[in-house]
Amino acid sequence: MVLEDCPKLYDEITVETRPYEFTNCYGHRNFIITDKSGKTLVKANSIWVYVNTETGRPARPPEEEKAAYSLDERLEMDYAPRKLSLPDEMTPVVPIPVRADDIDLNHHVNNARYIEIALGLMPDISNIKELRVEYKRQAHLGDTIYPRIATVGGSCFVDLADSEGKTYTAVEVIG
């Protein structure tokens, strides 16, 4: 996500989602937030994985499901690599038990909650220019999240992992 400008409280905004490509089991989608004059406030890119709900494994979506989407043009913006590269040296912080209110309807930690946790650990989020998130695994009720944090240059990184250091979600904020 690239934050070009920040709306103020009660500003009228428009949020659009624009699918632009399907490749194998991946769906590629842009998001754009504009103000009432049409000025772009936020641009974002996301990559989604189509999952077979019976096997829990990635799968190619059936043609009839792909056909239900009209594809838009890909937004003009810088596209960061799909995977986040975390620093080698990160400082562990206090573990966080997964609570019932962290869980979504899919019985795992809600994606927005991972971002809230990461931002809550960062020393300063007043000047965010870009936010990158890589969701790798699901944490469930009863799990404990072991955060690690590092600041390198203009970026702050948070790794939300299990007790063995396997990442659930990695977050990078560029200020």
Side-chain angles (χ1 to χ4, degrees):
M1 174 209 70
V2 177
L3 181 65
E4 295 182 8
D5 200 359
C6 196
K8 309 284 184 280
L9 186 63
Y10 302 114
D11 279 357
E12 185 177 314
I13 61 169
T14 301
V15 180
E16 297 178 48
T17 178
R18 300 177 179 178
Y20 64 87
E21 182 180 35
F22 289 105
T23 56
N24 298 320
C25 61
Y26 297 105
H28 301 261
R29 180 185 308 204
N30 288 140
F31 295 86
I32 188 166
I33 300 175
T34 55
D35 66 13
K36 67 180 176 181
S37 72
K39 177 184 171 194
T40 298
L41 303 173
V42 177
K43 291 180 182 178
N45 184 57
S46 64
I47 302 170
W48 299 68
V49 176
Y50 188 87
V51 175
N52 178 321
T53 56
E54 292 176 10
T55 65
R57 308 280 304 157
R60 290 178 188 263
E63 288 302 318
E64 61 271 12
E65 288 192 32
K66 287 174 28 178
Y69 290 88
S70 59
L71 298 181
D72 289 305
E73 291 292 318
R74 181 177 157 151
L75 284 179
E76 271 199 40
M77 60 182 282
D78 288 332
Y79 286 82
R82 185 169 70 87
K83 295 189 178 278
L84 266 171
S85 181
L86 294 172
D88 292 332
E89 298 295 322
M90 298 186 77
T91 303
V93 293
V94 177
I96 301 167
V98 175
R99 305 176 323 217
D101 61 335
D102 296 327
I103 303 300
D104 63 18
L105 293 175
N106 295 313
H107 309 290
H108 57 76
V109 173
N110 184 283
N111 288 351
R113 183 67 184 124
Y114 288 116
I115 296 170
E116 290 171 351
I117 291 169
L119 293 178
L121 296 169
M122 294 183 180
D124 180 18
I125 60 168
S126 63
N127 204 20
I128 295 175
K129 300 288 184 231
E130 188 172 337
L131 172 74
R132 296 188 58 214
V133 182
E134 183 181 357
Y135 302 102
K136 292 186 171 199
R137 300 177 39 241
Q138 301 169 354
H140 300 90
L141 185 62
D143 289 341
T144 299
I145 296 172
Y146 293 83
R148 300 180 311 135
I149 190 165
T151 301
V152 178
S155 291
C156 185
F157 296 89
V158 175
D159 180 29
L160 302 173
D162 66 12
S163 61
E164 297 174 9
K166 294 179 186 168
T167 300
Y168 293 121
T169 299
V171 178
E172 176 186 12
V173 169
I174 301 168

